[in-house]
Amino acid sequence: MARKVITMLTDDLDGSTADRTVEFSLDGTSYAIDLSDQNAGKLRKALDAYIGTARRVGRGGIATGSTNRRAAPPATTRVARSHNQAVREWAAKNGYEVSERGRIPVSVIDAYNNR
């Protein structure tokens, strides 16, 4: 037995026949709306000024191109780590309490820079 399934879209704004489903997201929430070509054009025209000046991000959030693999840290990260280690060592020798991990208080960094 053969079966033929026909899907008909209805424009979510005015109830006319829709030509497409338009997907967009705003504030981290994704939306899909069925629109006629005319209403899809109106939506795009309304967003043009914002899209023209916005940054493009990948699907699923701001982090683009992310994978499960861990890449080697960039050289600036290695420099920052060695600098942070030097600050921690200096702070320990000079009576400041600084944890082995986490953010170094600004007051300690300022004291290190003004030594």
Side-chain angles (χ1 to χ4, degrees), residues 12-79:
D12 291 326
L13 286 181
D14 61 17
S16 65
T17 301
D19 300 300
R20 68 191 64 218
T21 300
V22 177
E23 296 179 11
F24 62 98
S25 80
L26 180 66
D27 295 336
T29 303
S30 296
Y31 301 90
I33 186 170
D34 298 327
L35 296 172
S36 64
D37 285 338
Q38 181 180 4
N39 284 334
K42 288 179 184 177
L43 175 62
R44 286 185 174 88
K45 186 173 182 178
L47 295 175
D48 273 349
Y50 302 99
I51 292 170
T53 57
R55 291 181 307 279
R56 190 174 180 142
V57 295
R59 288 190 179 261
I62 294 176
T64 59
S66 64
T67 64
N68 290 335
R69 292 178 279 129
R70 295 191 93 163
T76 55
T77 302
R78 288 189 291 271
V79 170

